[in-house]
Amino acid sequence: MPEDQFDVIVLGAGPAGEVASGRLADAGLEVALVERHLVGGECSFYGCMPSKALLRPAQALAEVARIPGAAEAVTGTLDAAAALARRDEVIHDLDDSAQLPWIEERGITLLRGVATLDGEKAIVLDDGRRLTARRAIVLAVGSRAALPPIDGLAEAVPWTNREITTAKAVPASLVVIGGGPIGAEMAQAWRTLGAEVTLLEVADRLLLKEEPFASAQVTEASEALGVTVRTGVRIVRVERDADTGPVRVVLEGEETVEAAELLVAAGRHVPLDDLGLVTVGVKPDARGFVEVEDTMRVPGRDWLYAIGDMNGRALLTHMGKYQARIAADDILGRPTSVRLDGARSPRVTFTEPQVAAVGWTLDGALEAGLQARAVDVATSGNAGGSFYGRNAPGTARLVIDDGRGLVVGATITGADVQDFLQAATIAVVGEVPLDVLWHAVPAFPTRSEIWLRLLEKAGL
Amino acid sequence: MPEDQFDVIVLGAGPAGEVASGRLADAGLEVALVERHLVGGECSFYGCMPSKALLRPAQALAEVARIPGAAEAVTGTLDAAAALARRDEVIHDLDDSAQLPWIEERGITLLRGVATLDGEKAIVLDDGRRLTARRAIVLAVGSRAALPPIDGLAEAVPWTNREITTAKAVPASLVVIGGGPIGAEMAQAWRTLGAEVTLLEVADRLLLKEEPFASAQVTEASEALGVTVRTGVRIVRVERDADTGPVRVVLEGEETVEAAELLVAAGRHVPLDDLGLVTVGVKPDARGFVEVEDTMRVPGRDWLYAIGDMNGRALLTHMGKYQARIAADDILGRPTSVRLDGARSPRVTFTEPQVAAVGWTLDGALEAGLQARAVDVATSGNAGGSFYGRNAPGTARLVIDDGRGLVVGATITGADVQDFLQAATIAVVGEVPLDVLWHAVPAFPTRSEIWLRLLEKAGL
């Protein structure tokens, strides 16, 4: 077979790989993009997108129920079949052809297949073709659900994010192992669609990486929806008679939770066995994550980049896309590097209440040695809250670094607060001093007046 | 009568007067607050608050209609009686007693009555009492609807913001003179509650101070709701047989618009005839506005402040409250002054689509001599738009000052975008450079990704 050459070869056409390819192609480079499954990636088909389609109907109806004049018009109930049909529309029935024009318009060469690194700046495809890169290879192969080492779990053929987001029917009952963002979202979503749901978390609270009040509010709201939430559990083993029979999760003390289906949402890993990293002398960590510098380069390999989930920095679509822009700019010779990444990345859990956060939590800031304190207000405790998210649980917190007079973290919980986050992200990333934020007047009557109340509490 | 003395006397207990009093009292000053009508002011009882209660039900139902799975649950229609009852709850049936504990807790002396300035640092009340201020007098008397000089208008006893926001029943038909924020909001609100509505605007577009695309979208959406929108009209005279009979607005060419009620929303003025400004040598302008410096002091009178609508800078509740904080801080000897005020103030019109804006419009920036350009994207033209405000009209624009590499204006239109504004306000007030905003990563999938697309269009 002939050897094909490109300026840059990108492995993986998820959000990170697509953004990197697009930005490089827009700058005039010749780009090959290799994908083994679906162009658009885990997020588009098995993650953020279908999950939001499943969560949104109940949240919208909950909001309408808070609005006299509109509430009276809702006399029916959530239509699970319509929600599932919309989900299918959002994921294009697992057909990625809608993504292809975007790639073609940019002159990107899309190659379907499995790629393996084959020494410096080279890959081989499973059809035998060998490709070389003049400038760089960008790895963006994403992550997969990890199965924790629980006796009988693998044999029980549990659902992962792939099956839970694409299920064609509502299971009668569902048990979820893992109370992080995916587990918490899916427990609520499928409960509102009609399933009996039990959510199991080994730690003593859900959403362990977020502020404790967020965990408490999501737990309470989940229970109000009818989800059975169990934290601090010890899972002894999983039993299933056949692939399709009911599954039993056995807890310490031989207590059993039985359900029609089991979702495992207990972390992610990167199955890199076949990526050929060994041919270029790169060794991932135990979970398969590849270490990178702030330019997204693999240390010591000036032609190799790893972006998105697979570098383990921040397993979030928008952060993968951000890292893609950074990597592309570095390849293009534009000076750049990530500013806010890792645990402090902006993040939204789309539960009821939503949890939108950026930067440090209070505990995180204190552990990092900052001279930090927190100020809190009720997200709907203002005039705007008379109209939006009324009486829904919700807290807005700023974490303030008194040493520098800056906001270094924010967590906002509440109904429909996903777009509140950007203001906090700009304040944190822009390092806008508190006494300047004081002049950024929130409009009345909007819930954004949380800013006013928070800054007053901070002493302004 | 004895002469009472306070540190500060505040005239007018609307939002601006309340905030000034509260901030001064919190700092330990002895404050008298004088109100002739309702503590809480025009905004709480006849403005922002009731208008939002009337607008919100239809907007919430429009949003649900865009969400498969939820839309099917809506089988009834908007309940106007429930919306009006909620409006009554929001305005406490025009009873201001709910506001009083806040005032009492701060030790503020509330005086009911009409106050007149009586020379330097002194007022007299209509019961004859004379009060003097050790430090300052703060004027915060607000504004009233202005009646344009149209033949027969005053005799027709038109509704103003006071009657339209408190009407106990939905009129069969309504004609609105004035297509600014109040007119545009009330036309849509009462149309969705069941009235036949005609909106008349003398200028060639609604919302004249906003970007032209905002005017076009609000016009189109109003028409889709069934409002008859007429711009560029010349009103010749108004006719009404009796106070309660139908009203006829006669246009150039003798064309007539007839309706059960007439709302005039054609600007505001300050009726200061009885405020005694002449006793301290201050002369307001033709509309009654009192000029102030950036500390809210009346020039040449170091003891006299004018905040809120009555200084004519920005007739918006949140700006009145902002000016109140500035004035209070100045009285307290804390160095301060307003940063972003006047036409560039943050502002939201709560129509469908909402219009949220801060800073310059493109035309405004160009007229001010800035090296400005605009970048636009569709507010829902992103993954977040698959779930929120889907297919609703909406545009997000940044006005960029290329000379300084800063965002100097933003306009975001769309469904439920009121809380998008704070991010733009922080960017504008904080003068966060474009190349720093680039690192403020919006969460996926949220409509806040407008920031990403806008900055890409700006060349990042």
mmCIF file of all heavy atoms in Angstrom, chain B residues 129-147:
data_model
loop_
_atom_site.group_PDB
_atom_site.id
_atom_site.type_symbol
_atom_site.label_atom_id
_atom_site.label_comp_id
_atom_site.label_asym_id
_atom_site.label_seq_id
_atom_site.Cartn_x
_atom_site.Cartn_y
_atom_site.Cartn_z
ATOM 1 N N ARG B 129 -44.387 69.158 60.192
ATOM 2 C CA ARG B 129 -43.112 68.875 60.842
ATOM 3 C C ARG B 129 -41.943 69.318 59.976
ATOM 4 O O ARG B 129 -41.985 69.175 58.754
ATOM 5 C CB ARG B 129 -42.967 67.376 61.119
ATOM 6 C CG ARG B 129 -43.455 66.975 62.496
ATOM 7 C CD ARG B 129 -43.158 65.527 62.779
ATOM 8 N NE ARG B 129 -43.844 64.652 61.822
ATOM 9 C CZ ARG B 129 -43.718 63.323 61.807
ATOM 10 N NH1 ARG B 129 -42.897 62.726 62.646
ATOM 11 N NH2 ARG B 129 -44.391 62.603 60.935
ATOM 12 N N ARG B 130 -40.882 69.797 60.605
ATOM 13 C CA ARG B 130 -39.669 70.172 59.892
ATOM 14 C C ARG B 130 -38.557 69.233 60.320
ATOM 15 O O ARG B 130 -38.393 68.961 61.506
ATOM 16 C CB ARG B 130 -39.291 71.621 60.213
ATOM 17 C CG ARG B 130 -38.168 72.169 59.336
ATOM 18 C CD ARG B 130 -38.052 73.704 59.482
ATOM 19 N NE ARG B 130 -37.179 74.285 58.451
ATOM 20 C CZ ARG B 130 -35.863 74.420 58.569
ATOM 21 N NH1 ARG B 130 -35.262 74.018 59.666
ATOM 22 N NH2 ARG B 130 -35.149 74.953 57.592
ATOM 23 N N LEU B 131 -37.860 68.667 59.352
ATOM 24 C CA LEU B 131 -36.759 67.746 59.644
ATOM 25 C C LEU B 131 -35.478 68.330 59.070
ATOM 26 O O LEU B 131 -35.482 68.919 57.999
ATOM 27 C CB LEU B 131 -36.971 66.380 58.988
ATOM 28 C CG LEU B 131 -38.273 65.619 59.217
ATOM 29 C CD1 LEU B 131 -38.208 64.276 58.502
ATOM 30 C CD2 LEU B 131 -38.522 65.402 60.702
ATOM 31 N N THR B 132 -34.391 68.153 59.800
ATOM 32 C CA THR B 132 -33.103 68.567 59.244
ATOM 33 C C THR B 132 -32.148 67.373 59.212
ATOM 34 O O THR B 132 -32.295 66.419 59.974
ATOM 35 C CB THR B 132 -32.461 69.710 60.076
ATOM 36 O OG1 THR B 132 -32.324 69.268 61.425
ATOM 37 C CG2 THR B 132 -33.322 70.962 60.017
ATOM 38 N N ALA B 133 -31.198 67.473 58.291
ATOM 39 C CA ALA B 133 -30.223 66.396 58.093
ATOM 40 C C ALA B 133 -28.843 66.891 58.482
ATOM 41 O O ALA B 133 -28.433 67.959 58.069
ATOM 42 C CB ALA B 133 -30.217 65.956 56.624
ATOM 43 N N ARG B 134 -28.155 66.106 59.304
ATOM 44 C CA ARG B 134 -26.790 66.487 59.675
ATOM 45 C C ARG B 134 -25.857 66.372 58.480
ATOM 46 O O ARG B 134 -24.974 67.174 58.270
ATOM 47 C CB ARG B 134 -26.280 65.605 60.800
ATOM 48 C CG ARG B 134 -27.010 65.811 62.124
ATOM 49 C CD ARG B 134 -26.480 64.901 63.229
ATOM 50 N NE ARG B 134 -27.481 64.786 64.290
ATOM 51 C CZ ARG B 134 -28.323 63.776 64.437
ATOM 52 N NH1 ARG B 134 -28.258 62.733 63.605
ATOM 53 N NH2 ARG B 134 -29.211 63.774 65.400
ATOM 54 N N ARG B 135 -26.043 65.306 57.698
ATOM 55 C CA ARG B 135 -25.099 65.058 56.610
ATOM 56 C C ARG B 135 -25.665 65.325 55.225
ATOM 57 O O ARG B 135 -25.045 66.006 54.422
ATOM 58 C CB ARG B 135 -24.652 63.593 56.640
ATOM 59 C CG ARG B 135 -23.795 63.246 57.832
ATOM 60 C CD ARG B 135 -22.888 62.092 57.464
ATOM 61 N NE ARG B 135 -22.299 61.494 58.642
ATOM 62 C CZ ARG B 135 -21.462 60.466 58.608
ATOM 63 N NH1 ARG B 135 -21.132 59.933 57.442
ATOM 64 N NH2 ARG B 135 -20.954 59.968 59.712
ATOM 65 N N ALA B 136 -26.814 64.705 54.916
ATOM 66 C CA ALA B 136 -27.250 64.756 53.521
ATOM 67 C C ALA B 136 -28.735 64.518 53.376
ATOM 68 O O ALA B 136 -29.373 63.902 54.242
ATOM 69 C CB ALA B 136 -26.494 63.714 52.696
ATOM 70 N N ILE B 137 -29.254 65.005 52.289
ATOM 71 C CA ILE B 137 -30.604 64.652 51.844
ATOM 72 C C ILE B 137 -30.469 63.936 50.500
ATOM 73 O O ILE B 137 -29.718 64.385 49.622
ATOM 74 C CB ILE B 137 -31.513 65.892 51.729
ATOM 75 C CG1 ILE B 137 -31.805 66.419 53.147
ATOM 76 C CG2 ILE B 137 -32.802 65.565 50.976
ATOM 77 C CD1 ILE B 137 -32.659 67.672 53.170
ATOM 78 N N VAL B 138 -31.142 62.805 50.403
ATOM 79 C CA VAL B 138 -31.111 62.018 49.170
ATOM 80 C C VAL B 138 -32.502 62.048 48.547
ATOM 81 O O VAL B 138 -33.471 61.605 49.168
ATOM 82 C CB VAL B 138 -30.696 60.554 49.449
ATOM 83 C CG1 VAL B 138 -30.691 59.748 48.149
ATOM 84 C CG2 VAL B 138 -29.338 60.494 50.144
ATOM 85 N N LEU B 139 -32.579 62.574 47.338
ATOM 86 C CA LEU B 139 -33.848 62.604 46.614
ATOM 87 C C LEU B 139 -33.958 61.341 45.771
ATOM 88 O O LEU B 139 -33.042 61.001 45.018
ATOM 89 C CB LEU B 139 -33.909 63.838 45.700
ATOM 90 C CG LEU B 139 -33.645 65.187 46.381
ATOM 91 C CD1 LEU B 139 -33.639 66.309 45.328
ATOM 92 C CD2 LEU B 139 -34.685 65.454 47.460
ATOM 93 N N ALA B 140 -35.083 60.663 45.908
ATOM 94 C CA ALA B 140 -35.293 59.405 45.169
ATOM 95 C C ALA B 140 -36.774 59.259 44.895
ATOM 96 O O ALA B 140 -37.379 58.241 45.207
ATOM 97 C CB ALA B 140 -34.753 58.230 45.972
ATOM 98 N N VAL B 141 -37.348 60.308 44.289
ATOM 99 C CA VAL B 141 -38.813 60.348 44.184
ATOM 100 C C VAL B 141 -39.343 59.640 42.937
ATOM 101 O O VAL B 141 -40.561 59.570 42.742
ATOM 102 C CB VAL B 141 -39.342 61.796 44.241
ATOM 103 C CG1 VAL B 141 -38.910 62.440 45.548
ATOM 104 C CG2 VAL B 141 -38.881 62.603 43.043
ATOM 105 N N GLY B 142 -38.442 59.114 42.106
ATOM 106 C CA GLY B 142 -38.912 58.314 40.975
ATOM 107 C C GLY B 142 -39.429 59.127 39.815
ATOM 108 O O GLY B 142 -39.075 60.304 39.659
ATOM 109 N N SER B 143 -40.262 58.499 39.015
ATOM 110 C CA SER B 143 -40.806 59.160 37.831
ATOM 111 C C SER B 143 -42.244 58.707 37.620
ATOM 112 O O SER B 143 -42.713 57.767 38.254
ATOM 113 C CB SER B 143 -39.968 58.818 36.598
ATOM 114 O OG SER B 143 -40.141 57.449 36.248
ATOM 115 N N ARG B 144 -42.927 59.393 36.741
ATOM 116 C CA ARG B 144 -44.301 59.029 36.381
ATOM 117 C C ARG B 144 -44.412 58.977 34.870
ATOM 118 O O ARG B 144 -43.593 59.551 34.138
ATOM 119 C CB ARG B 144 -45.282 60.075 36.936
ATOM 120 C CG ARG B 144 -45.252 60.210 38.451
ATOM 121 C CD ARG B 144 -45.841 58.988 39.151
ATOM 122 N NE ARG B 144 -47.272 58.899 38.926
ATOM 123 C CZ ARG B 144 -48.178 59.491 39.693
ATOM 124 N NH1 ARG B 144 -47.801 60.217 40.739
ATOM 125 N NH2 ARG B 144 -49.482 59.360 39.437
ATOM 126 N N ALA B 145 -45.454 58.326 34.408
ATOM 127 C CA ALA B 145 -45.680 58.271 32.969
ATOM 128 C C ALA B 145 -45.937 59.676 32.431
ATOM 129 O O ALA B 145 -46.705 60.437 33.016
ATOM 130 C CB ALA B 145 -46.875 57.372 32.659
ATOM 131 N N ALA B 146 -45.289 60.001 31.327
ATOM 132 C CA ALA B 146 -45.517 61.287 30.676
ATOM 133 C C ALA B 146 -46.635 61.129 29.645
ATOM 134 O O ALA B 146 -46.753 60.084 29.015
ATOM 135 C CB ALA B 146 -44.235 61.761 29.992
ATOM 136 N N LEU B 147 -47.447 62.149 29.513
ATOM 137 C CA LEU B 147 -48.469 62.124 28.462
ATOM 138 C C LEU B 147 -47.982 62.986 27.301
ATOM 139 O O LEU B 147 -47.769 64.188 27.476
ATOM 140 C CB LEU B 147 -49.795 62.677 28.977
ATOM 141 C CG LEU B 147 -50.599 61.832 29.953
ATOM 142 C CD1 LEU B 147 -52.039 62.336 30.015
ATOM 143 C CD2 LEU B 147 -50.582 60.361 29.563
#
